[in-house]
Amino acid sequence: QVQLVESGGGLVQPGGSLRLSCAASGFTLDSYAIGWFRQAPGKEREEVLCINRRYGGTVYADSVEGRFTISRDNAKNTVYLRMNSLKPEDTAVYHCATGLVGSCSPQTYKYWGQGTQVTVSS
């Protein structure tokens, strides 16, 4: 059974950092692309970053370029989203997802985690 579980969210002050984790089970994560998404209240879901099976990360949201990075630890079957210089507009529920294909694009995401809340506020 394919499962993704996010963790690491919380309340952080503007300018702070967080690292989110996406732990996978039921499949070997390093063979597939994993995407991070976020959805703020009243807004559409947006894709933030994706990492393909060859480790390269692709940034989709211009607003996070230079601040967010994606990485994976194959031994732990986990993908990370490192978020630096956080801003109030980064407040959202963050989800990881996979379509069990190797490339970030094209991609149809079929499996989603439950999400972790990130709140950036002073």
Side-chain angles (χ1 to χ4, degrees), residues 92-113:
V93 177
Y94 285 72
H95 299 265
C96 59
T98 185
L100 296 184
V101 297
S103 176
C104 291
S105 181
Q107 168 77 269
T108 300
Y109 290 96
K110 300 177 183 178
Y111 303 97
W112 295 79

Side-chain angles (χ1 to χ4, degrees), residues 15-115:
S17 298
L18 280 176
R19 188 182 75 164
L20 306 184
S21 300
C22 172
S25 60
F27 69 103
T28 303
L29 186 146
D30 65 354
S31 297
Y32 304 105
I34 303 294
W36 278 99
F37 294 77
R38 66 184 181 184
Q39 187 163 21
K43 295 187 177 181
E44 292 189 357
R45 184 176 62 201
E46 68 171 341
E47 186 166 12
V48 176
L49 276 163
C50 178
I51 186 166
N52 63 31
R53 66 184 293 270
R54 294 185 181 276
Y55 290 89
T58 303
V59 179
Y60 290 96
D62 292 342
S63 60
V64 307
E65 193 161 9
R67 301 188 297 123
F68 290 14
T69 56
I70 190 170
S71 62
R72 68 192 339 152
D73 184 334
N74 293 333
K76 295 182 178 180
N77 218 34
T78 299
V79 168
Y80 301 100
L81 179 66
R82 177 69 181 183
M83 306 184 294
N84 296 326
S85 302
L86 283 162
K87 304 175 182 179
E89 50 264 42
D90 295 318
T91 295
V93 177
Y94 285 72
H95 299 265
C96 59
T98 185
L100 296 184
V101 297
S103 176
C104 291
S105 181
Q107 168 77 269
T108 300
Y109 290 96
K110 300 177 183 178
Y111 303 97
W112 295 79
Q114 83 290 348

Side-chain angles (χ1 to χ4, degrees), residues 2-20:
V2 173
Q3 191 173 13
L4 297 168
V5 178
E6 303 95 336
S7 61
L11 174 64
V12 62
Q13 291 187 344
S17 298
L18 280 176
R19 188 182 75 164
L20 306 184

